[in-house]
Amino acid sequence: MPKSINKKNMKCNSPRPLRKGEPGYGKKKKVVLGCKAGRQKLIKYGAKGYGHNYSDSAKKSFRARHKCDGAKDKTTARHWACKDLWPRGKKTKNPTAKKRVRR
């Protein structure tokens, strides 16, 4: 089990899920090496116990609450949550909704 995240093996601005044993596992959903203007920053984002992207109204509320239209800095968790977990225009279904069974 890795005890820390190795930045050397990560691509810039490519999010991936946190793996078991890494710092932040169980608390956060994803990790990314945010790179901007020669700076690199390891960013963990997305609450593990919170669903995301499951309805248009929830997405609209999240994006307004976090001011996602102004999130341009790739070295912030806000930018990655808005871009990766709550993207504009991406249609998804509610994961808790019951599936219809055809008879």
Side-chain angles (χ1 to χ4, degrees):
M1 281 186 173
K3 295 193 182 211
S4 64
I5 299 170
N6 189 353
K7 291 185 198 180
K8 293 177 184 176
N9 295 338
M10 293 183 69
K11 292 181 183 177
C12 279
N13 304 324
S14 295
R16 69 166 176 82
L18 273 167
R19 296 185 186 119
K20 198 170 191 175
E22 290 180 333
Y25 179 79
K27 295 178 184 178
K28 298 294 181 183
K29 287 183 184 181
K30 296 205 173 187
V31 64
V32 65
L33 183 65
C35 301
K36 178 184 170 188
R39 294 184 304 156
Q40 291 184 341
K41 186 176 178 183
L42 192 65
I43 303 157
K44 296 173 212 145
Y45 63 96
K48 188 74 168 186
Y50 186 69
H52 69 278
N53 206 5
Y54 54 87
S55 73
D56 290 335
S57 61
K59 187 185 302 186
K60 185 177 178 181
S61 294
F62 180 91
R63 292 187 62 81
R65 186 169 60 249
H66 294 275
K67 299 181 176 102
C68 286
D69 293 334
K72 305 292 182 204
D73 187 5
K74 290 183 179 182
T75 60
T76 63
R78 177 178 143 213
H79 170 79
W80 290 104
C82 291
K83 181 179 178 178
D84 187 33
L85 299 178
W86 299 88
R88 176 181 290 149
K90 186 177 176 183
K91 297 290 182 185
T92 57
K93 296 179 183 176
N94 183 348
T96 60
K98 293 182 180 178
K99 293 183 180 180
R100 284 184 138 178
V101 178
R102 270 196 155 155
R103 295 179 184 186

